[in-house]
């Protein structure tokens, strides 16, 4: 077994929540569709990819202050009346259960105050690793994470857009084939294109094709802005659009680029050879009716534990 697998845990439990009926409930009648789905996803990923290390990365702050300060519209459409994240009523109570399950199992659960799960994944993926440590697989449904792909490490994205059973392996060649830019330039490309789902306006009049053309021609957003300030090879329309978006382009990179230096604690990420707290896991299995998924996780991890 080798390599590090990083889980975009919120992305996965949202996918489980919407992919499994809410009629899947605990003995007391409360929905556990997200809990069961996530556990089964982890079991499947471990069984199929055999990582040596595993980290369930969490949103300690889903809308970090430093990103909102740069672009106030960042994820603004997801705000609940109380200022928190708008979350389905039947999903919110399942998140603490997911956290307790991960902790009892001994799977590293990592979140950093003031940062999103993306930043935790970015920091862990880019930490120096020896050749013997293997590569990094990032499991996510967020295409912004394509900015991390690096064939040299390697860092790959296991993209869940078609489901965990039909993962798309995204490396540098895949990013270039899809968007026309190398993976290392994806963040700059995304700044120009924008992303309405995150409240990022992008540059008006610049779609994916133009964004890819500009980044490919100039190599980076910084080089493009230098060309804008000088006599760079820009059409009149391109120059006008970029000038109109200059304030946005000045701050957007800090929002789009994942952090590489979040203060992620230095903890062991090795797969647990046995549950950290077998009794707690057994109690969770009974209380929430998740003995089946936990049994499949135990089998994937080669535990002798039984619900």
């Amino acid at each position: 077994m080798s390599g590090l697998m990083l889980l975009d845990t919120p992305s996965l439990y949202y996918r489980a929540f919407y992919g499994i009926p809410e009629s899947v409930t605990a003995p007391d009648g409360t929905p556990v569709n997200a809990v069961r789905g996530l556990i089964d996803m982890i079991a499947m990923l471990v069984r199929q990819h055999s990582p040596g290390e595993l980290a369930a990365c969490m949103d300690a702050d889903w809308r970090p202050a430093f990103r909102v300060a740069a672009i106030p519209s960042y994820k603004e459409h997801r705000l609940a009346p109380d200022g928190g994240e708008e979350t389905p009523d039947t999903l919110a109570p399942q998140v603490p259960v997911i956290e307790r399950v991960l902790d009892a199992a001994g799977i590293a659960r990592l979140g950093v105050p003031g940062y999103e799960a993306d930043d935790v994944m970015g920091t862990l993926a880019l930490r120096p690793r020896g050749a013997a440590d293997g590569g990094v697989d990032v499991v996510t449904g967020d295409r912004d994470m394509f900015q991390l792909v690096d064939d040299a490490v390697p860092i790959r994205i296991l993209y869940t857009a078609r489901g965990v059973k039909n993962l798309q392996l995204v490396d540098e060649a895949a990013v270039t084939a899809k968007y026309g830019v190398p993976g290392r330039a994806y963040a700059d490309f995304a700044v120009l294109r924008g992303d309405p789902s995150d409240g990022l306006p992008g540059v008006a009049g610049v779609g994916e094709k133009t964004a890819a053309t500009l980044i490919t021609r100039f190599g980076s957003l910084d080089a493009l802005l230098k060309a804008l300030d000088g006599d760079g090879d820009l059409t009149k329309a391109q120059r006008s659009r970029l000038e109109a978006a200059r304030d946005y382009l000045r701050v957007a990179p800090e929002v789009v680029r994942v952090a590489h230096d979040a203060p992620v604690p230095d903890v062991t990420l090795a797969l647990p050879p046995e549950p950290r707290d077998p009794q707690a896991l057994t109690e969770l299995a009974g209380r929430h009716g998740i003995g089946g998924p936990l049994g499949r996780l135990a089998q994937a991890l080669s535990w002798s534990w039984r619900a």
Side-chain angles (χ1 to χ4, degrees):
M1 299 174 72
S2 63
L4 168 62
M5 177 172 282
L6 303 174
L7 306 180
D8 183 351
T9 313
S11 171
L12 292 176
Y13 65 61
Y14 263 93
R15 173 168 288 279
F17 176 78
Y18 287 110
I20 298 174
E22 290 184 41
S23 57
V24 175
T25 61
D28 65 0
T30 58
V32 289
N33 51 333
V35 180
R36 292 180 64 96
L38 178 66
I39 296 169
D40 275 331
M41 287 178 184
I42 295 174
M44 182 184 303
L45 288 164
V46 169
R47 188 169 59 250
Q48 293 182 352
H49 297 275
S50 299
E53 298 179 301
L54 180 69
C57 303
M58 309 293 288
D59 284 332
D61 190 337
W62 69 280
R63 192 170 181 254
F66 72 91
R67 291 194 167 102
V68 176
I71 298 181
S73 63
Y74 181 65
K75 295 188 177 179
E76 187 175 39
H77 60 294
R78 302 187 204 175
L79 278 171
D82 63 1
E85 183 179 14
E86 194 166 41
T87 305
D89 291 343
T90 49
L91 171 59
Q94 296 188 58
V95 176
V97 179
I98 288 169
E99 293 175 344
R100 289 195 289 272
V101 167
L102 292 172
D103 292 347
I107 294 173
R109 177 172 63 88
L110 296 170
V112 178
Y115 292 91
E116 299 177 62
D118 290 6
D119 302 309
V120 177
M121 291 186 287
T123 299
L124 289 173
L126 294 167
R127 279 183 175 173
R129 296 175 61 79
D133 294 331
V136 180
D137 284 338
V138 180
V139 185
T140 183
D142 185 353
R143 60 183 178 171
D144 283 343
M145 300 307 290
F146 292 174
Q147 65 186 274
L148 292 176
V149 300
D150 185 338
D151 289 353
V153 174
I155 301 172
R156 314 180 304 177
I157 305 300
L158 301 183
Y159 192 45
T160 64
R162 297 176 185 169
V164 175
K165 292 183 179 179
N166 297 288
L167 292 170
Q168 298 170 256
L169 193 156
V170 179
D171 56 11
E172 290 190 45
V175 174
T176 301
K178 175 68 174 177
Y179 299 103
V181 298
R184 62 183 175 275
Y186 185 86
D188 288 349
F189 161 80
V191 166
L192 292 175
R193 179 200 60 200
D195 188 347
S197 69
D198 278 342
L200 300 175
V203 176
V206 174
E208 286 196 354
K209 184 176 180 180
T210 301
T213 298
L214 290 171
I215 293 301
T216 300
R217 182 188 305 162
F218 294 98
S220 69
L221 183 59
D222 287 343
L224 172 60
L225 293 177
K226 288 178 181 176
L228 180 62
D229 291 333
D231 297 323
D233 182 20
L234 292 164
T235 68
K236 184 177 179 181
Q238 289 169 347
R239 188 172 291 275
S240 175
R241 288 166 181 159
L242 291 168
E243 284 286 3
R246 188 179 285 275
D247 288 345
Y248 163 77
L249 292 172
R250 177 176 53 83
V251 298
E254 183 179 9
V255 177
V256 174
R257 293 172 185 155
V258 300
H260 298 174
D261 57 355
V264 179
D266 188 12
V267 300
T268 180
L269 304 180
L271 291 182
E274 58 186 18
R276 176 182 295 145
D277 190 337
Q279 182 177 347
L281 208 60
T282 299
E283 291 173 353
L284 287 163
R287 185 185 315 155
H288 300 288
I290 53 175
L294 285 175
R296 290 186 283 275
L297 178 63
Q299 186 176 30
L301 292 168
S302 300
W303 290 346
S304 61
W305 177 86
R306 292 291 185 269

